[in-house]
């Protein structure tokens, strides 16, 4: 029986072609393909040890005990690891983000990527990245992408899919681009993405149109990354973000993730573009804005966005590394 302690680090990612909506199946499969960039300057670090003597999984997030809902999501991933490794012992999990949790900054992506990697390693499973990505995907689909560095794709699932991992777009992570992460609030978001997607699917008259349209946005984004075409990637990233949010806003009752500061940041991005600085906005299930630009323009873009009234903080990120893990000791 393994009593190793493993410590993993993973970076969040920002989808430039969005996933929004799940296949009706129990294993958390995205209904549309997505493409993301892993962010180097934000990270989650997670340690896991399967400890003899624990009567339940102990989960600590940013120094506090996990809520019941959070702990259940962690335990269900750990249960899969226990089954695969033939372990019966409970685990302790300690995880911390160096950025705000649960406010649309993709903490579930880096969180479940780091958890999947640390838990499989601590359990003695020698899984390759694709298998770890498939495991992470079952907890949070965007987490599948955070296993890999640079630009990463995740295909859509279908009702009979039994394995679905993200894949890196090889040879693209040295592209000199940046994403400025514009934090408009430190408050946690009100409607999480899983709940938001289910609500959109059930009530938005635009949901089917979104599912039909998203693959062509994904394909344009993929071709743009391979061609290192920033203007096309930025253009399609904005189309994808606004199509996703339009679909969510069409739900009943409407699902609106934007705040007045979100809109002010979007307007500033447009005015930068009009003045000749190529910058493009994308928003996830929260009020933060992520702004794509060349690496050379990133400092200017970030300082312009810091001037927008209501902006709390801007963090510049470049394409980040794949998630990594090491064994750090023995559980007692
Ligand atoms: O990974 P989830 O299930 O938390 O959903 C992520 C959804 C978006 O961030 C809005 C889009 C995406 O593709 O990351």
């Amino acid at each position: 029986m393994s009593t190793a302690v493993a410590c993993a680090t993973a970076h969040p990612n920002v989808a430039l072609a969005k996933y929004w909506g799940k296949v009706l199946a129990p294993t958390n499969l995205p209904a549309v393909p997505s493409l993301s960039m892993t962010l180097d300057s934000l990270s989650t670090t997670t340690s896991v040890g399967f400890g003899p003597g624990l009567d339940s999984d102990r989960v600590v997030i940013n120094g506090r005990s996990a809520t019941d809902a959070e702990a259940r999501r962690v335990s269900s991933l750990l249960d899969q690891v226990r089954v695969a490794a033939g372990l019966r012992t409970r685990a302790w999990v300690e995880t911390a983000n160096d950025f705000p949790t649960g406010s649309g900054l993709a903490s579930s992506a880096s969180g479940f990527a780091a958890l999947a990697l640390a838990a499989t390693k601590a359990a003695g499973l020698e899984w390759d990245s694709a298998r770890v990505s498939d495991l992470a995907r079952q907890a949070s689909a965007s987490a599948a992408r955070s296993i890999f560095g640079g630009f990463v794709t995740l295909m859509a699932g279908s009702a009979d899919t039994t394995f679905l991992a993200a894949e890196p777009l090889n040879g693209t992570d040295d592209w000199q681009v940046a994403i400025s992460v514009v934090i408009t609030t430190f408050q946690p978001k009100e409607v999480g993405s899983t709940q938001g997607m289910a609500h959109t699917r059930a009530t938005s008259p635009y949901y089917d149109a979104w599912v039909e349209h998203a693959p062509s946005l994904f394909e344009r984004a993929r071709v743009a990354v391979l061609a290192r075409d920033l203007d096309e990637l930025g253009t399609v990233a904005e189309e994808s973000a606004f199509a996703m949010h339009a679909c969510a806003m069409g739900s009943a009752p409407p699902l609106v993730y934007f705040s007045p500061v979100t809109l002010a940041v979007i307007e500033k991005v447009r005015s930068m573009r009009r003045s000749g600085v190529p910058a493009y906005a994308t928003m996830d299930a929260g009020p933060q804005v992520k702004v794509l630009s060349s690496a050379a323009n990133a400092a200017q873009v970030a300082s312009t966005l810091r001037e927008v009234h209501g902006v709390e903080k801007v963090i510049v990120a470049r394409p980040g590394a794949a998630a990594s893990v090491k064994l750090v000791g023995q559980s007692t």
Side-chain angles (χ1 to χ4, degrees):
M1 183 176 66
S2 170
T3 55
V5 176
C7 178
T9 298
H11 301 292
N13 66 77
V14 168
L16 298 166
K18 303 287 184 203
Y19 132 68
W20 190 253
K22 298 177 198 285
V23 171
L24 265 195
T27 55
N28 200 38
L29 294 158
V32 299
S34 56
L35 180 151
S36 60
M37 187 182 111
T38 299
L39 306 180
D40 69 345
S41 51
L42 308 175
S43 56
T44 299
T45 302
T46 302
S47 298
V48 176
F50 288 88
L54 290 175
D55 53 10
S56 62
D57 294 325
R58 303 278 166 81
V59 183
V60 173
I61 302 176
N62 294 324
R64 55 151 181 97
S65 286
T67 63
D68 288 349
E70 287 167 338
R72 269 198 302 277
R73 246 175 121 184
V74 169
S75 286
S76 89
L77 187 152
L78 294 172
D79 285 344
Q80 286 175 271
V81 173
R82 278 187 278 262
V83 168
L87 282 174
R88 296 173 67 93
T89 41
R90 303 290 112 186
W92 59 264
V93 174
E94 254 182 59
T95 185
N97 297 326
D98 62 5
F99 59 93
T101 302
S103 55
L105 276 186
S107 55
S108 71
S110 51
F112 284 108
L115 177 67
L117 198 52
T120 47
K121 188 78 173 175
L125 296 170
E126 294 296 333
W127 283 8
D128 64 13
S129 299
R131 230 171 144 188
V132 178
S133 173
D134 173 68
L135 174 67
R137 190 261 310 150
Q138 294 171 57
S140 164
S142 57
R145 301 187 308 240
S146 275
I147 295 296
F148 299 100
F151 291 89
V152 182
T153 61
L154 177 65
M155 301 315 288
S158 62
D160 56 4
T161 302
T162 53
F163 180 94
L164 183 66
E167 285 174 44
L169 272 176
N170 285 326
T172 56
D173 50 351
D174 62 338
W175 189 19
Q176 299 299 308
V177 292
I179 289 183
S180 297
V181 179
V182 184
I183 301 175
T184 59
T185 175
F186 290 112
Q187 296 304 310
K189 62 191 171 197
E190 281 164 22
V191 183
S193 48
T194 298
Q195 202 190 336
M197 286 178 206
H199 179 62
T200 306
R201 184 181 202 285
T203 67
S204 176
Y206 308 124
Y207 182 74
D208 290 345
W210 158 254
V211 171
E212 201 186 319
H213 183 50
S216 66
L217 295 169
F218 165 81
E219 187 51 23
R220 277 173 58 200
R222 198 183 68 81
V223 169
V225 170
L226 292 173
R228 300 183 184 218
D229 183 341
L230 179 65
D231 291 338
E232 169 64 2
L233 181 62
T235 301
V236 74
E238 286 200 351
E239 285 178 29
S240 173
F242 282 100
M244 174 202 126
H245 282 278
C247 177
M249 285 183 196
S251 304
L255 193 50
V256 181
Y257 286 108
F258 296 176
S259 73
V261 187
T262 311
L263 295 173
V265 172
I266 292 168
E267 184 42 40
K268 185 58 91 179
V269 168
R270 291 176 167 215
S271 83
M272 275 192 275
R273 235 174 19 233
R274 283 193 296 271
S275 68
V277 179
Y280 303 88
T282 183
M283 295 69 59
D284 293 301
Q288 329 294 9
V289 186
K290 291 93 178 194
V291 180
L292 177 71
S293 70
S294 70
N297 283 335
Q300 185 196 342
V301 167
S303 75
T304 303
L305 295 173
R306 280 187 194 105
E307 285 161 18
V308 176
H309 186 70
V311 165
E312 300 276 3
K313 195 174 179 182
V314 180
I315 303 166
V316 176
R318 303 282 305 278
S324 61
V325 65
K326 54 184 189 295
L327 286 174
V328 289
Q330 298 292 310
S331 205
T332 50

